[in-house]
Structures are given as C-alpha cells and as structure tokens.
Amino acid sequence: MLRSNRDHGFTLVELLVVIGIIAVLISILLPALGKARAQANTVKCQSNLKQLVIAAQMFAGEHQQYLPHPENNGAAKMRGWNVRVSQRWEWDEPAWSWDQALIKYMQKSSKALLCPADPGETLRFPSSNTYWRVSDQPYLNDIPSSYRMNGCNLMYEGANVNDYNSRIETPPKLSQLKPSSKAILFADGQGSLQDQVTVQNLRTYVTNKSADLEVNIQQNNPWNLAFRRHSRNLSNTMSADAMKKGLANYAFADGHVETLTFNETWVSLGENKTPWQVTNFVKGMLNQP
C-alpha cells in the first residue's frame, strides 16, 4: 500500500478559509444576538415598570387612594418642598421621593428601579452624599435612577400656581385617573449618559407644567426622558427623526406597559375640570396644556 507523505495538519490556505467562514458566521449572528439581547432588556424593563405600578397601587391603598407625589411625600398636599398642608404621611425629609416611598412595597429592594439597558448603575440617592443619606434605613440609599414619574398628573392650587414655593401640589387619587389605561405614571428616564445628548441629571420626575429646565418637557423637547433607550442605535441627538423613531417604555395607571415613541405619548384625553389646574391630571404623560 502506498502512503502519502503529506502531514495530516491543515494547510495555510485551509486555515484561512476556515477563519473566513467563522468570520462570516459571526458577522451574521452578532446582529441577531444583539437584537435578541435588546429585546430581552425591553421585556425586563417592562416588568420593572409593572412592578412600580403595582407598588403605586399598593401605596394608594394605604394612603386614602392618593398616588405618590413625584417629589415630596410628606403628605398628600404639599406646599413647596417641605411644607405639609394635610395629614402627615410616614416619610421624613429628605427621603420623600416616589421611589423611596415605593421601595416599602417592593420588599425594600431597589432592583426594579434599574433598567437592564442602562450601562452600569447610576444612583439617584447615593449614600456617599451626606444630604441624601438615610442612616437608619440604608435601603433608601443608593437607588438607581433609570425611571421617572409623570408630574403632569399633579393638581395645582393656590393664588399663584406658577410659583413653586407658594402653590399647593396634590397627586391624584387612583379613581381620578380616567381612563386609567391611558394615564401614564412612569417612564424610562435619564439614567445614563447614553440616554441623552451631553449632560445627565438625576431628578425624579418630568412635567410639562414647569419652567424648570431640569424637569420640563415639551412636545419638541424630550430632555430628561430616555426617549430612545430601547433603540440606542439611533442618533443621540434630539432630532425629529430620533423623536419619531426612538423607543422607550411607558407604564400606565391600569398596570400595562407600552413601548412607544416620544411623539406617540402626546395624546389629549380630556378638558380641564377645574380652573386652578394648569394641566388636566387625567391626560397622562407629555400632553399639551
């Protein structure tokens, strides 16, 4: 029998062919894997937001049906930052934000406050900050800042509703949000520099009622919302195209969550019911006054 003198190893050409085939397969599979990972993040984010709505509903059940105040939960009616105008709630300054109030109903865990699409954990209330630190309740510190509450639902009253320090702010009761299926409570909010153009702030809510640029939003201004968190492949500028195509999650008062573009959230749900309301609180997120 004749035996070949050739070694059983691969030739250089064969190795290059194999490497080329592997490279082609990787180029085909990576986008699909990336898309699957992004979809999984979106679904997990939706689950987080549903937990927040359930916690808000539980909060309402223990607080005369009032939903949490998006900023300062010292009482149902608050004037300015820290003046209680109605029966006292159990929280003390500075631990008054909606997320600090709702952790009580989420087994004292802030895991649901971090969107899995956020690259790293950006904290809204870091324990390293002596003002925000709650030493006797450490679970109220180091809270992720992925989500924001809809401040458009607040009811304003007083002689000058445009003056933050003198107006009285009251969150709505669950029964006042009609239809609850169209009233947005929570949304993807700026939690990382990837969510916005140049800077990052860690405020807890957004509203179209305020002149404060840190919380203010308008139909042509999604600042403070992660309006393209679940489609970051789009340009990170606030262009008309990005606002039209960028996707984020929005949680409604009835408990369901939708993935919407920024423009799709601008839907009017009714007229103002009382003259002191700057914006009708049943409208939901981002609706024009």
Side-chain angles (χ1 to χ4, degrees), residues 83-146:
V83 180
R84 294 181 173 94
V85 190
S86 63
Q87 181 179 355
R88 175 191 176 99
W89 284 347
E90 62 265 37
W91 293 278
D92 293 312
E93 187 178 357
W96 277 356
S97 76
W98 65 264
D99 34 14
Q100 290 171 313
L102 293 190
I103 285 178
K104 170 184 176 181
Y105 304 96
M106 298 187 292
Q107 300 180 327
K108 296 184 178 181
S109 171
S110 61
K111 290 182 179 179
L113 291 161
L114 176 64
C115 176
D118 270 354
E121 184 173 316
T122 304
L123 303 179
R124 182 173 282 138
F125 304 113
S127 57
S128 58
N129 185 308
T130 55
Y131 176 77
W132 293 115
R133 185 172 65 238
V134 185
S135 58
D136 61 335
Q137 295 174 300
Y139 64 89
L140 296 178
N141 304 319
D142 297 332
I143 295 178
S145 60
S146 295

Side-chain angles (χ1 to χ4, degrees), residues 31-52:
L33 291 173
K35 186 176 181 179
R37 186 181 300 110
Q39 182 61 35
N41 287 339
T42 300
V43 172
K44 174 58 179 174
C45 176
Q46 292 173 340
S47 176
N48 287 349
L49 287 166
K50 289 177 182 178
Q51 290 184 58
L52 295 186

Side-chain angles (χ1 to χ4, degrees), residues 145-160:
S145 60
S146 295
Y147 304 113
R148 294 198 176 202
M149 193 170 189
N150 179 15
C152 304
N153 293 324
L154 279 173
M155 298 178 288
Y156 292 176
E157 59 184 305
N160 182 5

Side-chain angles (χ1 to χ4, degrees), residues 174-185:
L174 270 175
S175 60
Q176 292 174 307
L177 290 174
K178 297 177 180 179
S180 60
S181 61
K182 294 185 178 180
I184 296 174
L185 293 187

